[in-house]
Amino acid sequence: MAKEIKKVVLAYSGGLDTSIIIPWLKENYNNCEVIAVSGDVGQGTELDGLEEKAIKTGASKLYIEHLTEEFITDYVFPTVQAGAIYENRYMLGTSFARPIIAKRIAEIALAEGADAICHGCTGKGNDQVRFELAIKAFAPEMQIIAPWRIWDIKSRDEEIDYAEAHNIPLKINRETNYSKDKNIWHLSHEGLDLEDPANEPQYEKEGFLEMGVSPLQAPDKPTYVTIHFEQGVPTAIDGKKMGAVELVATLNKLGGENGIGLADLVENRLVGMKSRGVYETPGGAILYHAHEVLETITIDKETARMKQHIGIKFADIVYNGQWYTPLREALSAFVTETQKTVTGDVRLKLYKGNIINAGVTSPYTLYDEEVATFDADEVYDQKDSAGFINLFGLPIKVKAQLDKKRAEKN
């Protein structure tokens, strides 16, 4: 089988896994050509020096695909509009970054005439599913190589041993070897002391948090921010119009400074196990909150209830790597329809990890102060509620009466 593979396209981050995969592929697949592809989804300095490293470790070339704008606009914002948060806490930072990267890798693999696509995802994780489902959607005949499922390496320590034996430079060491994933939306931390849910995350420890500070270290003075939405899409902060990338980056800064968006959770992985992770999503936490607040005055009750149900399913779909499916597209169509009136301004107060509502307005508001007031009004006849309650409570009353009759017979 190995001799049939002459050219492999590798999903390349420059981290531990993919760094050692390049020489491993060449050793195990008859010195095949390895083309590395990195998707830039806003991971910043992690891309520095990547091309030199890829070439030095055996790749023939490196593609760096700049996908951040598309990532935010076409994947992140539609998920926020859906109100999709996995298991009430995880704002899907890794989950919806994988489909866009895998799609681009598949496109490059087809253009390059590659025989296979390789990824560095472990056989225990969710990312293997997310990558491979996307590849199947765009390159269904392409062979997929997943070294973690077939090689002899069993741990990250053994990976480091392999890297050292092959003179591959690493930015990590054995003692501080958290498994991390970073993009413009979030940063995840897994492994080491976090593998035991009994251990408290070291938020105050220097170097642990990268996108912000612990709430304990946040300023004693609150920060106010106003976010403007147009049909469910955030378009301005404090009256200044911004593109998607600038807007998220701005909220990341504001949220990070105020200790916003930290999540420590044990989640249910798609592959059947529970895993513990710590997530930093400062700007994302603000956007989810603001969008939900705006929907409280712009969407009717029954539509809002249906959106809650769909949000749970939408989160599962994103988490499970099923972005490129008819169901996700159909749910997105429903969500888009609900967002036609989700336009307005949301003012929030950020204070020591808390997001506090400070006012919301919309030209499409469904809130009528004259109807809702506790003062005298001319539009609501309180006597009408008696008939409503009689009809609404009729099943309860009938059951109670019949229960009483049955009890009297006995």
Side-chain angles (χ1 to χ4, degrees):
M1 195 68 180
K3 64 182 180 182
E4 297 175 12
I5 295 177
K6 298 178 180 178
K7 184 185 290 189
V8 180
V9 169
L10 169 66
Y12 183 73
S13 68
L16 176 59
D17 295 330
T18 56
S19 293
I20 68 171
I21 283 175
I22 294 176
W24 182 88
L25 283 171
K26 298 179 79 68
E27 287 176 2
N28 289 272
Y29 292 90
N30 200 29
N31 199 34
C32 63
E33 180 184 359
V34 179
I35 298 171
V37 179
S38 294
D40 176 9
V41 284
Q43 57 268 55
T45 57
E46 290 185 8
L47 297 169
D48 294 350
L50 218 55
E51 182 173 13
E52 180 184 358
K53 182 176 181 180
I55 302 299
K56 190 174 290 186
T57 50
S60 62
K61 58 182 167 182
L62 170 70
Y63 287 87
I64 295 182
E65 300 297 295
H66 298 290
L67 306 171
T68 311
E69 183 87 28
E70 182 183 354
F71 170 52
I72 293 294
T73 301
D74 295 348
Y75 295 78
V76 175
F77 285 170
T79 305
V80 174
Q81 287 178 311
I85 299 179
Y86 186 71
E87 297 186 338
N88 299 315
R89 301 291 307 284
Y90 174 44
M91 285 172 272
L92 298 164
T94 301
S95 307
F96 46 34
R98 296 307 182 235
I100 185 175
I101 295 171
K103 176 190 175 190
R104 189 67 190 114
I105 288 169
E107 292 168 346
I108 290 172
L110 293 172
E112 286 279 358
D115 304 301
I117 291 173
C118 180
H119 63 74
C121 308
T122 75
K124 285 186 174 182
N126 302 305
D127 279 346
Q128 59 182 334
V129 182
R130 296 164 183 157
F131 267 108
E132 294 186 30
L133 293 191
I135 291 167
K136 291 178 188 300
F138 294 97
E141 308 300 325
M142 188 69 64
Q143 184 169 337
I144 297 172
I145 300 173
W148 268 106
R149 301 204 291 254
I150 56 177
W151 64 14
D152 295 328
I153 297 172
K154 301 300 181 186
S155 68
R156 290 178 73 80
D157 267 350
E158 289 183 13
E159 284 188 287
I160 294 174
D161 291 339
Y162 186 97
E164 290 174 348
H166 290 75
N167 298 314
I168 298 171
L170 299 174
K171 294 181 179 179
I172 61 173
N173 60 54
R174 296 177 196 270
E175 289 71 38
T176 60
N177 188 18
Y178 284 111
S179 176
K180 297 186 180 186
D181 178 77
K182 185 178 183 180
N183 58 48
I184 190 173
W185 187 248
H186 92 148
L187 174 65
S188 64
H189 309 255
E190 293 179 320
L192 295 181
D193 58 306
L194 297 178
E195 290 191 343
D196 185 349
N199 291 330
E200 179 183 358
Q202 301 302 303
Y203 292 138
E204 287 78 42
K205 184 178 180 181
E206 186 177 354
F208 181 77
L209 296 178
E210 297 182 25
M211 297 182 73
V213 299
S214 163
L216 296 177
Q217 298 165 327
D220 294 330
K221 182 181 178 181
T223 299
Y224 284 88
V225 61
T226 300
I227 304 168
H228 179 73
F229 290 84
E230 289 286 338
Q231 297 190 0
V233 177
T235 59
I237 295 175
D238 294 332
K240 179 185 177 183
K241 289 187 177 180
M242 297 182 183
V245 174
E246 182 187 4
L247 187 141
V248 171
T250 300
L251 290 180
N252 277 339
K253 183 175 184 300
L254 291 174
E257 291 170 347
N258 287 279
I260 303 294
L262 298 179
D264 171 17
L265 67 150
V266 175
E267 69 199 56
N268 291 294
R269 283 185 178 174
L270 173 59
V271 294
M273 70 185 71
K274 290 183 182 289
S275 68
R276 197 268 190 102
V278 169
Y279 299 98
E280 300 180 57
T281 322
I286 295 170
L287 277 180
Y288 267 110
H289 187 106
H291 181 263
E292 183 180 9
V293 169
L294 184 56
E295 284 192 334
T296 64
I297 67 167
T298 56
I299 292 184
D300 65 280
K301 176 183 175 180
E302 293 304 319
T303 303
R305 291 293 185 273
M306 182 56 69
K307 269 198 85 241
Q308 285 181 318
H309 291 299
I310 282 177
I312 293 171
K313 183 61 179 177
F314 201 103
D316 283 343
I317 287 172
V318 176
Y319 189 85
N320 295 344
Q322 297 169 302
W323 188 269
Y324 304 114
T325 60
L327 177 56
R328 199 281 306 166
E329 292 174 0
L331 293 183
S332 284
F334 169 83
V335 171
T336 298
E337 180 67 21
T338 68
Q339 298 300 290
K340 288 183 176 179
T341 59
V342 186
T343 294
D345 292 285
V346 181
R347 190 168 186 248
L348 300 171
K349 180 162 63 174
L350 313 178
Y351 183 67
K352 291 189 177 296
N354 296 289
I355 306 173
I356 303 164
N357 297 348
V360 56
T361 60
S362 170
Y364 301 104
T365 184
L366 298 176
Y367 182 86
D368 189 329
E369 188 174 348
E370 191 175 0
V371 172
T373 183
F374 283 96
D375 294 330
D377 67 87
E378 303 296 330
V379 297
Y380 186 93
D381 188 341
Q382 297 195 26
K383 293 192 294 291
D384 291 343
S385 62
F388 164 74
I389 294 171
N390 286 336
L391 293 177
F392 190 62
L394 183 60
I396 298 172
K397 180 178 179 180
V398 169
K399 181 180 183 300
Q401 289 173 333
L402 292 175
D403 285 346
K404 182 179 180 182
K405 287 180 180 179
R406 281 188 284 267
E408 290 172 350
K409 286 181 179 179
N410 293 331

